[in-house]
Each structure stands twice: as C-alpha cells, then as structure tokens.
Amino acid sequence: MGMSYRRYLYGERVYGCSKCKTHLATIHSMISRAFNGQHGRAYLFESVVNIVEGEPCDRPMTTGNHTVRDIYCIKCNTTLGWKYDKAYEVSQRYKEGKFILERNLLVDVQ
Ligand SMILES: [Zn+2]
C-alpha cells in the first residue's frame, strides 16, 4: 500500500505507541477494557490508525477459535496487539473487524 505518512488524532484522550508515541486510537473508539492480551490487560477498539496488519492466522482462545492478524506500529514496528478477522463462535462475531491493543504497550499522548 505504501502508506508511510502518519495520521494525527484529536480528542479528549489519545492512546499512542509506548515506544515511539505514534497515535493509534482515541477513547471514543474504545469498545471494552475487559480483554486480555499476551502481556496482560488489553482494550478492544472499533478503529485503530497508523498500524500495519500481518498475515491472518487461526488462534484458539478461551472464547473459541478466531482468525486474527497481528498488528504492528507503522513507525517502530512494535507488535501492539491484533485484529479479529473472523470469530467462529456466533456470540463472538461482534469482534470481527475490531482491534486489540495491549495496555502495557500504550501511552497517553493527549
Ligand atoms: Zn511505535
């Protein structure tokens, strides 16, 4: 895609990459704080910017099988969480197309 520019977010609360402070998401797009990532607590977001998506892979979770893509910071390449491509359990379908960001990898930039 060749997207090398970075989007700047505005809002009451902006979350950024803890390593390079690149803007990732606002509190307005947060759906839930009650998720677990690879490194502890994680947040579910409706939309995230300035990321690169990896290849899809199937990952079993406590809530059933999911197809996910790891997501990386567009600037420093840190793995920040993942995107849900597909949930196999009907009750988990609301997560499709949404993003998980690990709390420990986020910093308040605004
Ligand atoms: Zn970064």
Side-chain angles (χ1 to χ4, degrees):
M1 299 283 275
M3 195 182 90
S4 56
Y5 68 93
R6 285 180 287 151
R7 283 185 60 189
Y8 194 89
L9 295 173
Y10 301 90
E12 286 164 32
R13 193 157 180 198
V14 175
Y15 295 99
C17 171
S18 64
K19 199 167 170 188
C20 73
K21 311 270 194 297
T22 290
H23 290 193
L24 299 170
T26 68
I27 192 142
H28 300 290
S29 67
M30 184 186 283
I31 299 166
S32 171
R33 293 174 192 271
F35 275 75
N36 288 305
Q38 316 264 33
H39 310 285
R41 191 55 72 87
Y43 302 149
L44 184 70
F45 287 94
E46 178 77 40
S47 62
V48 173
V49 300
N50 300 323
I51 49 141
V52 176
E53 296 177 9
E55 292 299 310
C57 63
D58 288 337
R59 196 172 291 170
M61 298 182 180
T62 52
T63 49
N65 262 324
H66 296 75
T67 304
V68 302
R69 297 167 185 264
D70 284 334
I71 56 177
Y72 309 92
C73 174
I74 203 170
K75 186 179 182 198
C76 72
N77 215 35
T78 298
T79 307
L80 297 165
W82 62 84
K83 177 187 181 184
Y84 290 102
D85 267 13
K86 182 175 166 62
Y88 290 83
E89 300 291 329
V90 174
S91 64
Q92 304 300 317
R93 296 254 166 91
Y94 72 96
K95 294 189 282 193
E96 291 180 352
K98 311 292 195 308
F99 301 84
I100 287 288
L101 292 175
E102 307 250 5
R103 188 180 65 178
N104 292 338
L105 305 175
L106 296 178
V107 66
D108 289 349
V109 288
Q110 212 172 84

